[in-house]
Amino acid sequence: MGVQSLCHLGLFILIIVIHCNAKGDFGDFEHGETVISPETIAKFYTETMVQSAGKEEQRCSENVFKARAAAKANGRKPSVGVEPTVGLGAALLIFLGVGIFAVGIAQTFQQVRKHVYHDADNLDTAFDAGGKVSIGLTATTIVSQWTWSATLLQSSTVASKYGISGPYWYAGGATIQIIIFSILSIMLKTRAPGAKTFLQVIKARFGKRTHLVFCTFAFFTNLIVMMSLTIAGTAVLNSLVADLSPELAAMLLASVIGGYTLIGGLGATFYVSYFNTALIFVLILMLVVEVFYNPFNNPENPFGSSESVFEFIACWKAPEEKMGNKGGSYLTFFSSGGLVFGIVNIVGNFGTVFCDQAYWQSSVAAKPLQGVWGFISGGLVWFAIPFTLATTMGLAYLGLSSAQGSPLLTDEDVMRGLAAPLVAQKLLGTTGEYAMLFLILMAVMSTGSAEVIAVSSIVIYDVYQAYICPFKPDLKDGQCILCSRYLRKQKDNEDGQLCDCQSTAKCDACATDTITRAKSTSSVKPHYTCETHGEYKEYQEHLLNYKNWCIVICTFLSVPLCLFCWAVNLNLAWTYYFTGILISSSVVPIAVSIMWARATATGVISGTVGGCAAGMTCWLTYASTYPGGLSLATFVKNTGEELPMLVGNLVAIGVGAVFCVVVTYITRWNMTPEIEEAEWDKTRDIDNPLSPWVAKYKGELNLDDGENFHDRPPLEIVIRKFRAAKITAYVAAVLFTLLFVCIWPGSMLSVDILDLSGFNVWTTMSRGWAFVAAAFIIIVPMYQEVKAIFKQLAKNREDKIRAEEISNNGESQPLHQSDPLPNRLQNQLYSSTQQGNKQELVFQRLRNTLASVLTISRPSH
């Protein structure tokens, strides 16, 4: 009943939003021109500098008055809004070029994995990229995934509202979650090394009912992320590109996202993310140089140094409101609105990281220590993007408004995230417009593809494979999925026969199947003949085919989602604030499911559902106290106020945590080592017998090849081997959380309002962080990947020589049974059978997929 009530409440809110914001016809897509009223201008305009109390009143500099006079010369009217000047043809060429480039990079990745690493093209490889991604690529992927289009736009929005505190709270409030997630990353590797989704851990420990609840919240998270992407992306495209309809914009975004994701799977996103992140940093640094240095003496740029930026911002007042800034200055950390935003930002982003399968996907794709350092370095590098971009573009927007003597955007356009595009257009003209188009396109493409892969993995692993078409529907916990025998001795059946299934690496029948299928030239390969693994291999191919269709469907479902968001004129800031209320109640239950053996199904469900319901109730109750209440005319405005959103977010995550812990102790007070061992045995049983986790981590665990696929070391050995990574994750999480939440903001409170020297230090710090982060994210991943490829090529040559020696020995001793093929050679042959048709592009692959689906019958059980 709790879940149904939650769904009904969400549906009610959705209907209210639609009625409040849209008429239901295509007129909803048009946004008319508006002007800034004199009363609004008077809230910002001042001719004296806004300074700390006690300082002598000082008039604005001559540069400010000259700029304001020039803005009104010859009867010119104040500029309001972003003018769509980019031609539709040029925009289409940009989309086409970026799409072709992404597809090319995806193909490059496929060829590297096929010919260098000899990865098999199976289901797990499509969703974990081989599980050997480097620190640099993990970091660049985290940066790329966490750089939403909202990151580029909403961060500048809060800078234009709250001044210098806005960019900091946006960046710091969303960095700590990534660094803290490194703890969950290493815990997943320790407690459930074979899991591909966090929902598999939930199902293994707590059963189907709990699993379905968390699947719902996971889909909610992906839906909200895609909504934020589409709202921001469509807003920028529509504001900059002339004659571009929302329908066409949605189709273009979907095509670019889906094309290379379909070809390369998760792995392709790593290579494409590298180029996306590198380009994002290059464009950000270009905008920073233009604002603070003006190297080409652009006459449209009134800035050119930190001093000039300071002069204009110091002569522009922050409106006197309840949630305003101290002294009406944008150059202070004493901003109640900024602090409220920071708290909401921290709470909401815990939900969007912990409950988003995309980040668990990146964790699965990296080895334990590399994954930890990848998340830590990725979080620190990502900090530079909103911090530097918003400090530059948000403050430049305030400065340009001051130079004109009136705001350049209406409040509605500011909330739509158009401050950054406007600054780029004003300062750089056509170049700035193209820069923003590329920035938004890169952000939408990277995050969108990660979300598509995340949704597809949940659908395949946690919906289709678990409920719709399981390989063995009657399989019990602890039983082998191949032979249905138990993996370990059971208390009620000590003499029962245990599983003795051989691993694929030592199976002669599998080696024979691999060679037979490699020699086949037919588009439909021969069936597997191995009695142990053959049936499950065909089942995996069956799932792989569905994976392709799932990616296509998820991609194009983003089109109506995009059009819906645009039609109802959904507010980007409202969506961003609402995220935490809906999903942050699941943060603590998800964390304890992988870290706390005592956790129970009743406890995690109570925390997730109870926290969400309590958060929504408090949010709506508080919003109803504002003038107009929850009427159709004022619903979005009142529910979008800072204080109701703050209360809703805090109650959701707080009640979720308390309910989870308290109910867990009520339902499981006594805890013994035997119970704890049994709990983690459930999660360690999550595995794929064709590519067991022991084989993947045997290098880190110093293990030899086991005879059976389920031969695995005790949990204590795994914990001991991964202890260094665990300590690193905990130390980094504690230190950087204290730095970003306590130490840095606390030190800023010692300064009332920044003077010129303080402003110079602040902006220099933001620029320096960006330059260092750009150097790291451009150089380190490239170096590590090239080094790894050359190292792998050397290993391949050694394997080839060894295989030739084995072959020669076999010919000279015909009566001696030949050794099984080296594992790497098996993978190479296996990959060649699966990737023969992957040289062609999307349409060819779709045709082959359809043929395979029609040919391969439903797996027998």
Side-chain angles (χ1 to χ4, degrees):
M1 288 299 292
V3 179
Q4 290 181 344
S5 301
L6 191 61
C7 294
H8 292 159
L9 182 58
L11 183 60
F12 169 75
I13 294 173
L14 198 61
I15 294 172
I16 292 291
V17 171
I18 294 173
H19 280 289
C20 286
N21 289 280
K23 299 176 183 177
D25 54 22
F26 281 93
D28 293 317
F29 290 110
E30 303 297 330
H31 301 284
E33 295 185 0
T34 56
V35 295
I36 308 296
S37 67
E39 293 79 11
T40 302
I41 296 175
K43 294 179 181 179
F44 299 92
Y45 188 88
T46 180
E47 295 185 354
T48 58
M49 294 182 64
V50 182
Q51 303 178 94
S52 299
K55 286 192 175 184
E56 184 179 350
E57 185 176 292
Q58 183 177 349
R59 280 179 60 81
C60 298
S61 69
E62 287 300 318
N63 291 335
V64 175
F65 290 115
K66 287 180 181 179
R68 290 176 178 176
K72 298 177 181 178
N74 302 322
R76 294 170 60 183
K77 293 183 178 181
S79 172
V80 179
V82 183
E83 299 178 3
T85 57
V86 177
L88 181 58
L92 292 176
L93 286 177
I94 290 174
F95 275 87
L96 182 62
V98 170
I100 293 175
F101 175 76
V103 168
I105 295 299
Q107 281 293 91
T108 301
F109 175 85
Q110 286 295 92
Q111 297 309 307
V112 168
R113 300 308 303 188
K114 174 183 177 182
H115 296 291
V116 177
Y117 291 96
H118 306 312
D119 281 352
D121 181 29
N122 54 34
L123 185 69
D124 284 356
T125 301
F127 286 122
D128 69 5
K132 302 174 183 178
V133 179
S134 65
I135 294 175
L137 278 184
T138 301
T140 195
T141 304
I142 294 302
V143 172
S144 186
Q145 289 177 359
W146 203 213
T147 304
W148 302 359
S149 44
T151 300
L152 306 173
L153 303 179
Q154 181 71 5
S155 59
S156 298
T157 296
V158 295
S160 66
K161 291 179 63 178
Y162 310 123
I164 62 169
S165 67
Y168 176 80
W169 283 121
Y170 193 104
T175 296
I176 58 174
Q177 293 86 351
I178 297 294
I179 298 176
I180 291 174
F181 190 83
S182 64
I183 297 175
L184 294 188
S185 174
I186 190 61
M187 285 299 182
L188 182 72
K189 298 289 186 178
T190 304
R191 304 279 170 74
K196 303 302 177 187
T197 71
F198 75 95
L199 295 168
Q200 287 181 302
V201 178
I202 301 289
K203 185 174 186 294
R205 287 199 62 187
F206 308 125
K208 292 183 178 180
R209 183 185 62 167
T210 311
H211 181 246
L212 290 174
V213 170
F214 279 87
C215 281
T216 303
F217 276 83
F219 282 123
F220 273 150
T221 304
N222 294 124
L223 180 67
I224 288 178
V225 174
M226 287 300 292
M227 285 174 65
S228 296
L229 287 176
T230 53
I231 292 170
T234 309
V236 172
L237 292 175
N238 190 258
S239 66
L240 290 177
V241 181
D243 303 322
L244 179 64
S245 67
E247 298 92 336
L248 180 57
M251 289 297 297
L252 290 173
L253 291 175
S255 300
V256 171
I257 291 171
Y260 83 90
T261 308
L262 177 66
I263 291 175
L266 176 69
T269 65
F270 285 96
Y271 276 19
V272 176
S273 293
Y274 169 77
F275 288 98
N276 285 353
T277 305
L279 182 58
I280 285 173
F281 268 100
V282 168
L283 294 174
I284 288 175
L285 294 180
M286 182 182 75
L287 295 169
V288 168
V289 169
E290 176 63 28
V291 170
F292 288 103
Y293 301 100
N294 194 8
F296 302 108
N297 296 318
N298 179 7
E300 299 295 327
N301 184 356
F303 312 126
S305 66
S306 295
E307 182 179 358
S308 59
V309 176
F310 174 82
E311 288 176 350
F312 283 99
I313 297 175
C315 291
W316 198 243
K317 292 190 303 182
E320 296 292 339
E321 299 175 349
K322 292 181 180 179
M323 303 301 293
N325 291 14
K326 184 176 181 179
S329 174
Y330 285 109
L331 301 176
T332 179
F333 238 75
F334 286 90
S335 171
S336 53
L339 178 61
V340 168
F341 169 78
I343 297 173
V344 173
N345 190 44
I346 291 172
V347 173
N349 284 322
F350 267 111
T352 50
V353 172
F354 282 36
C355 200
D356 191 343
Q357 171 58 24
Y359 300 96
W360 295 91
Q361 210 85 50
S362 297
S363 171
V364 168
K367 288 194 174 182
L369 186 59
Q370 286 86 338
V372 168
W373 278 111
F375 277 96
I376 295 171
S377 57
L380 296 177
V381 169
W382 179 87
F383 179 90
I385 294 179
F387 185 49
T388 305
L389 180 69
T391 298
T392 301
M393 305 299 277
L395 298 185
Y397 167 77
L398 295 174
L400 287 174
S401 297
S402 177
Q404 179 179 256
S406 68
L408 289 162
L409 292 172
T410 63
D411 289 342
E412 180 186 353
D413 283 342
V414 169
M415 299 304 284
R416 289 172 62 201
L418 297 184
L422 177 106
V423 172
Q425 185 180 70
K426 293 293 183 183
L427 297 185
L428 291 171
T430 303
T431 304
E433 294 167 350
Y434 285 126
M436 286 307 302
L437 281 179
F438 272 110
L439 275 174
I440 297 302
L441 188 55
M442 296 297 101
V444 170
M445 189 167 66
S446 296
T447 311
S449 63
E451 294 305 310
V452 168
I453 288 288
V455 173
S456 300
S457 64
I458 292 174
V459 170
I460 293 298
Y461 284 111
D462 293 288
V463 178
Y464 188 82
Q465 187 175 358
Y467 301 110
I468 298 176
C469 184
F471 182 65
K472 290 187 175 180
D474 300 328
L475 195 71
K476 298 179 181 178
D477 291 339
Q479 289 183 335
C480 171
I481 197 170
L482 299 178
C483 65
S484 299
R485 300 192 189 109
Y486 281 102
L487 301 174
R488 297 173 304 279
K489 289 184 178 180
Q490 304 297 304
K491 293 182 179 180
D492 54 350
N493 188 11
E494 292 285 344
D495 299 327
Q497 189 175 5
L498 299 181
C499 168
D500 59 357
C501 294
Q502 202 173 30
S503 67
T504 55
K506 299 199 173 191
C507 179
D508 293 335
C510 285
T512 303
D513 280 343
T514 300
I515 296 173
T516 302
R517 290 168 67 87
K519 292 179 179 178
S520 174
T521 58
S522 172
S523 60
V524 179
K525 301 298 181 182
H527 287 282
Y528 292 98
T529 59
C530 176
E531 294 183 359
T532 303
H533 307 100
E535 189 177 356
Y536 191 71
K537 282 184 176 181
E538 296 204 358
Y539 175 73
Q540 289 283 294
E541 288 187 0
H542 175 74
L543 295 181
L544 187 61
N545 292 325
Y546 276 98
K547 181 267 296 183
N548 297 332
W549 287 110
C550 190
I551 289 176
V552 173
I553 293 171
C554 291
T555 299
F556 285 99
L557 281 178
S558 66
V559 176
L561 178 65
C562 177
L563 296 180
F564 164 77
C565 294
W566 186 256
V568 301
N569 197 16
L570 200 59
N571 190 306
L572 177 62
W574 190 94
T575 307
Y576 192 84
Y577 284 135
F578 176 67
T579 301
I581 299 175
L582 182 62
I583 62 176
S584 64
S585 62
S586 65
V587 169
V588 173
I590 289 173
V592 300
S593 69
I594 195 64
M595 298 178 66
W596 197 27
R598 188 187 295 272
T600 62
T602 308
V604 294
I605 289 180
S606 300
T608 302
V609 178
C612 182
M616 285 196 172
T617 302
C618 293
W619 167 57
L620 293 174
T621 302
Y622 200 139
S624 67
T625 63
Y626 283 75
L630 300 180
S631 65
L632 294 178
T634 60
F635 180 85
V636 173
K637 179 181 181 299
N638 289 343
T639 56
E641 294 288 343
E642 284 94 342
L643 288 179
M645 286 290 189
L646 173 65
V647 170
N649 275 270
L650 290 177
V651 169
I653 195 170
V655 171
V658 171
F659 277 21
C660 177
V661 174
V662 171
V663 175
T664 291
Y665 272 108
I666 292 174
T667 53
R668 180 181 281 170
W669 180 258
N670 296 321
M671 192 69 184
T672 63
E674 291 76 17
I675 296 176
E676 183 173 354
E677 182 181 0
E679 285 295 316
W680 298 132
D681 276 338
K682 295 176 185 177
T683 60
R684 280 157 53 85
D685 285 342
I686 304 171
D687 208 355
N688 184 339
L690 305 183
S691 54
W693 60 264
V694 172
K696 185 185 298 183
Y697 299 130
K698 67 180 181 181
E700 286 76 8
L701 300 173
N702 296 325
L703 301 175
D704 296 326
D705 290 332
E707 189 66 29
N708 301 320
F709 80 88
H710 54 80
D711 291 338
R712 65 192 187 198
L715 178 61
E716 293 74 18
I717 292 180
V718 179
I719 293 174
R720 187 166 64 248
K721 293 292 184 180
F722 293 164
R723 181 168 293 154
K726 179 180 176 181
I727 293 174
T728 301
Y730 272 102
V731 170
V734 172
L735 289 181
F736 285 111
T737 299
L738 290 175
L739 173 65
F740 288 128
V741 177
C742 302
I743 299 174
W744 193 337
S747 65
M748 290 302 298
L749 294 179
S750 63
V751 182
D752 190 15
I753 296 177
L754 292 182
D755 55 12
L756 178 58
S757 61
F759 183 75
N760 281 332
V761 171
W762 184 262
T763 55
T764 301
M765 187 185 305
S766 74
R767 283 175 276 160
W769 198 304
F771 279 106
V772 172
F776 174 87
I777 212 65
I778 293 174
I779 296 172
V780 172
M782 177 68 76
Y783 169 77
Q784 289 184 336
E785 190 66 13
V786 171
K787 181 181 177 181
I789 289 175
F790 278 107
K791 184 178 180 180
Q792 187 65 39
L793 288 172
K795 285 185 178 180
N796 292 348
R797 286 192 293 270
E798 295 177 2
D799 286 343
K800 184 177 180 181
I801 294 172
R802 189 179 301 111
E804 290 176 353
E805 291 176 352
I806 293 174
S807 177
N808 293 334
N809 291 337
E811 291 176 0
S812 61
Q813 301 177 18
L815 297 179
H816 187 275
Q817 184 178 0
S818 61
D819 293 331
L821 288 173
N823 191 37
R824 193 181 308 280
L825 184 58
Q826 286 192 33
N827 284 342
Q828 183 176 8
L829 290 171
Y830 183 66
S831 68
S832 66
T833 68
Q834 298 302 308
Q835 297 194 20
N837 293 322
K838 292 186 82 173
Q839 306 303 314
E840 302 175 37
L841 293 177
V842 179
F843 296 107
Q844 180 69 20
R845 183 161 185 170
L846 288 175
R847 190 195 70 184
N848 292 338
T849 303
L850 180 60
S852 300
V853 171
L854 295 175
T855 303
I856 300 175
S857 60
R858 183 184 179 91
S860 57
H861 301 309

